[in-house]
Structures are given as C-alpha cells and as structure tokens.
Amino acid sequence: MTKRIAIIGGGISGLSCGQLLKEKGFDIILYEKDSRPGGMIKCDRVEGSLFHRTGGHVFNTKREDVMQWFWSFFDKEGQFTKTQRNSSVVMSDGKMVPYPIENHAYMLDREDGEKIVSDLVGMAKGYSKEPANFEEFLKSRFGNTLYHLYFKPYNWKVWRRDLTKVPLSWLEGKLPMPTVAEIIFANIYHVEERQFVHSSFYYPKQGGSQFLADTFAKGLDIRYNTNVETIQKTAKGWEINGEVADRVVFCGNIKQLPEILGNSVDINAYTDAIEKLEFHGTTSVFCEIDKNPYSWIYQPSMEHLSHRIICTGNFSESNNADGKMTGTVEFTDEISKEDIIEQLKRMPFAPKYMAHNYEKYTYPIQDRDTREMISSLKKLLESNGLSLCGRFAEWEYANMDVCIGYAMDLVNRRFKK
C-alpha cells in the first residue's frame, strides 16, 4: 500500500521533499498558506522589473548529488546563465574594494595597509589565541585593522548583536576562511578568490527564483491558501485539516510547532528553548539604482543602516524593464517606508524607491545549545512519524542549495518503500 506523506510548507525545502518523495512512489499532500509556492525565494514584478521579495537567490552547490538532481528539472543551457560573482565592498569614503576585502588590502589607504601588514605579521608569529566566538575568529583570522574597518560594522548591521555571543558553528561554511599565508599571497599576486560560497552561480534567464519554485511545484498535490493550525496523531495516522497521512514532514517554522502539535507528541521539555530561539527579519527594498558591474555590494559604512545591495538587475537582462537597472537594498529587521526613503538618500548608487517587503523571519540565530536541542527534538519527533526539514524547521542559516541537500538527506535516511 502506498504511504501518504503530508508536507507542511511550500518553500524550497517542502517542494524538494515533495518531489523526492514523489520520485520514490509516495502519495504526497503539500500544505501552503500562500497562494503560490516559494517561501523566501518568491519574486514579484514591479513596474515590469523583477523583485526578489527576500534576498537574491541564485544556485550553485558543492554537492554533486544536489547538482545532478537540480538539473534533472531544468535545461541548463537553454534556461540558465552561469555568472562569475562580481562582489565589492563600498568603503565609507566611497572607494570600491573587491570582495573578499582581505584579498585586496593593497587597494586600501596606505596607512590602513601598513596596519594590516603589521597585524598579519603578528598573526603569522602565532601569538593569537584560539577563537571561541565570532568576534575572536574575525580578529584572529583578519587582524584588528580589517576587523574595525569592515568586519565589525558590516556584521553589526547584519546581526545587530554582540559578536562575542555568536558561536562559530552557526556560520560554518558561510565565510571565507583564508590562512595568513593565503591573504599575503593574494595581495602580492592579486589573486581572485573563487573558493567561497557562490563565487560563481547559475540564474534563470526568465523569472528568477520564482521560476525555480514554480518548476519544483509542478506535479505536486499542493493545497494553496491553506493554513495548518493543528496536526493530530490518531489511530489512523496524522490528521491535518481533516485529511489523514501516515507521516508528516514539517518544513515550516519550528516556533509554531508546539501550538500546532498540541498534545499529539509531548514536547514540553523543549517548549521554553523553542520560544527563546532568536532571529532577525529583513526589509528588502526594491530600487532603481545606478548602472554598475556588480552582483553584490557590501556596505560597512555607518552613515546608513543598509548592509548590502543585491544587484539582481545584473543577474538577467529580463529582470529590468524600460532600460532601468534594479536591485534590492537590504535592511535588518523592520523599517518604515518613511525611514527607508531617508536612508536611501545617504547611500551610494543613488537608489530610488520602487517597493519593499518585510519578512519577519529570515536569519535564524543559534546559541551554543541550539543544535543539540534541535537534534534531540528531531529524534523524538521522528520516532512518532514527524520529521523536520528546512531553514526554520531546523533553525539553520542555510542557503537554497543546502536546503535541497537537507531534503535529500532526510528522504534517503527516513523514507524507505
């Protein structure tokens, strides 16, 4: 008998789980509260140009199994372009320094360059202590000068928190981690860094990341405009909105789980820890901006609160209408339209407001106990036929390709026909 699996959440994790389970022959029902799929990768058309409502989502991966599975849905050559990431840091004085900044210290002012060299020489002598948190890691890896010029202000604007409270495990794989020798070599020989995440990427010629979501949604039984308020375990299985499933994959926000589960599974031991999980939201502001060659522009300047501009207009010609160059200006947490307009006046590239979207949950924030707590909870839930999968279900700072990998690992590990 074919087992029925209920999936809650139609973002990239839920869609990937749906397609993977369907490939294995399971009967799938997917519940999505919105009228279309995509979660954080949804896009809108604004005055004919493409607005990534949360971020600027592109695809690449270091996992060969994720790569092969992804391309089984698309025509790589016909539907996508491959682009080398051209990212830059705009310093407080307006100078553009290629990303990652540590590889291009020779482009900074002479005085700052001398201090950076002194820092690197001291670090090479080996008298920096083993880092215990994010701040110590940044200082020990890049030195005090680069920390104060770039890493401290930029990361404060993103995370709005004391960097000594950020565990390194949370950001593992998200940052360039060069040795002192590699930094010195890159500055002498002007080496471009191509090892960091998404140093090159694939992007749809039409439709942006909404095209990805719409494609992954094809062939799935999706209940749109359906908010799952309770899931109840009964003698027949799991009951969701009057429908019964043998198992559940929860790809929503774990903070909603205690209320949704009710008394079906006793997770009282985890409720307080779940409630205390921290996070940030993002206000994404869609703008017309000055034409430029960049993909991402990082902004450490404290003259304004935006931490980066994602130049989505450079990802595909179809993203721009009427000869405009468009991009998304990002602010951490919620900011009013009035304040947005004022902030834009202080920024480089002359951003002109077109639209904005506030997403309450975009960056999950871990502490030293988060992963252990989530791992223990997952074991309890899976013993009852419920699995967690996704960025906010597992409370991981995971890009789109990583979420696809989570889905593949879950389906291969827990679902056998």
Side-chain angles (χ1 to χ4, degrees):
M1 180 178 177
T2 301
K3 290 187 177 181
R4 172 174 282 191
I5 313 298
I7 301 170
I8 298 174
I12 192 64
S13 299
L15 296 172
S16 298
C17 285
Q19 290 291 353
L20 288 160
L21 289 165
K22 183 183 174 186
E23 289 170 8
K24 285 200 169 190
F26 290 97
D27 181 19
I28 305 301
I29 308 172
L30 195 154
Y31 298 92
E32 168 53 44
K33 63 182 179 181
D34 203 352
S35 60
R36 57 178 171 157
M40 287 179 62
I41 70 170
K42 288 198 288 285
C43 300
D44 292 335
R45 285 281 173 186
V46 177
E47 299 176 20
S49 297
L50 192 73
F51 174 28
H52 287 252
R53 292 175 58 84
T54 310
H57 301 278
V58 299
F59 176 75
N60 208 344
T61 180
K62 294 182 178 180
R63 283 185 54 164
E64 187 61 31
D65 56 347
V66 171
M67 184 73 79
Q68 291 182 3
W69 185 80
F70 181 89
W71 289 125
S72 70
F73 290 86
F74 302 102
D75 174 3
K76 183 194 295 188
E77 303 302 324
Q79 295 177 319
F80 284 76
T81 59
K82 185 177 183 181
T83 303
Q84 291 294 323
R85 177 174 175 143
N86 180 15
S87 299
S88 191
V89 179
V90 56
M91 306 303 290
S92 297
D93 60 3
K95 179 181 289 185
M96 302 300 296
V97 180
Y99 179 91
I101 191 172
E102 66 274 9
N103 282 9
H104 303 86
Y106 62 89
M107 296 181 65
L108 296 170
D109 292 341
R110 183 183 181 91
E111 183 179 351
D112 290 329
E114 289 175 350
K115 292 177 182 177
I116 291 168
V117 169
S118 179
D119 290 343
L120 294 173
V121 170
M123 292 154 57
K125 291 180 178 178
Y127 50 76
S128 61
K129 64 180 180 179
E130 188 69 23
N133 55 60
F134 191 33
E135 179 183 278
E136 289 182 5
F137 162 77
L138 292 171
K139 288 182 176 181
S140 66
R141 188 60 62 117
F142 305 108
N144 285 328
T145 305
L146 279 173
Y147 175 74
H148 288 287
L149 279 176
Y150 171 70
F151 290 102
K152 180 180 180 179
Y154 174 75
N155 282 287
W156 181 86
K157 289 168 83 172
V158 175
W159 305 114
R160 303 290 181 87
R161 62 192 292 108
D162 182 349
L163 300 184
T164 64
K165 306 300 183 184
V166 178
L168 291 180
S169 58
W170 173 35
L171 297 172
E172 184 179 355
K174 306 297 189 303
L175 299 166
M177 293 193 175
T179 64
V180 171
E182 288 170 337
I183 295 174
I184 294 172
F185 185 86
N187 278 277
I188 292 174
Y189 289 99
H190 297 187
V191 175
E192 292 187 23
E193 173 61 69
R194 292 299 175 195
Q195 300 302 315
F196 59 85
V197 177
H198 295 147
S199 60
S200 65
F201 59 87
Y202 296 93
Y203 188 83
K205 293 179 180 178
Q206 298 284 340
S209 52
Q210 187 67 55
F211 170 67
L212 307 184
D214 293 344
T215 300
F216 284 132
K218 289 179 180 178
L220 297 180
D221 184 3
I222 302 178
R223 310 288 200 267
Y224 290 112
N225 300 304
T226 302
N227 189 32
V228 175
E229 296 181 352
T230 61
I231 54 176
Q232 185 174 3
K233 193 173 184 183
T234 69
K236 295 180 180 180
W238 286 95
E239 185 172 316
I240 304 101
N241 290 6
E243 298 181 282
V244 177
D246 297 289
R247 294 193 59 176
V248 174
V249 179
F250 182 80
C251 300
N253 190 317
I254 196 173
K255 281 183 169 288
Q256 301 167 339
L257 197 60
E259 183 176 356
I260 290 174
L261 270 179
N263 297 320
S264 291
V265 181
D266 183 3
I267 62 169
N268 288 331
Y270 301 91
T271 301
D272 286 346
I274 292 172
E275 184 177 344
K276 291 176 182 177
L277 288 171
E278 295 184 80
F279 61 94
H280 277 307
T282 298
T283 299
S284 300
V285 184
F286 192 48
C287 296
E288 180 181 355
I289 60 175
D290 287 345
K291 292 185 177 181
N292 66 79
Y294 304 113
S295 43
W296 279 263
I297 300 169
Y298 299 98
Q299 304 188 103
S301 171
M302 297 304 292
E303 292 297 314
H304 56 83
L305 294 176
S306 170
H307 55 274
R308 68 177 178 178
I309 304 172
I310 309 173
C311 302
T312 51
N314 284 331
F315 293 176
S316 171
E317 292 181 3
S318 68
N319 285 3
N320 298 315
D322 303 324
K324 294 179 179 178
M325 169 64 190
T326 57
T328 301
V329 177
E330 286 193 337
F331 297 88
T332 292
D333 292 330
E334 189 169 17
I335 179 170
S336 69
K337 182 176 178 180
E338 181 181 16
D339 288 339
I340 288 170
I341 300 300
E342 180 58 36
Q343 290 285 319
L344 294 181
K345 294 176 183 177
R346 307 177 196 172
M347 290 179 53
F349 297 93
K352 298 179 181 65
Y353 177 91
M354 295 173 67
H356 77 277
N357 175 61
Y358 168 62
E359 197 71 31
K360 182 177 180 180
Y361 292 93
T362 51
Y363 290 108
I365 298 174
Q366 294 184 357
D367 62 26
R368 291 173 177 81
D369 301 320
T370 301
R371 284 185 170 171
E372 183 178 352
M373 183 274 288
I374 297 289
S375 177
S376 175
L377 176 60
K378 285 167 71 173
K379 290 178 182 177
L380 171 63
L381 294 173
E382 287 187 342
S383 69
N384 285 274
L386 189 151
S387 299
L388 304 180
C389 186
R391 184 179 179 115
F392 281 99
E394 302 180 72
W395 216 255
E396 288 284 353
Y397 176 30
N399 290 327
M400 179 168 59
D401 61 299
V402 177
C403 288
I404 294 173
Y406 287 167
M408 294 184 74
D409 293 341
L410 171 65
V411 170
N412 291 333
R413 184 179 72 250
R414 300 297 301 181
F415 293 86
K416 309 292 183 183
K417 283 297 288 181

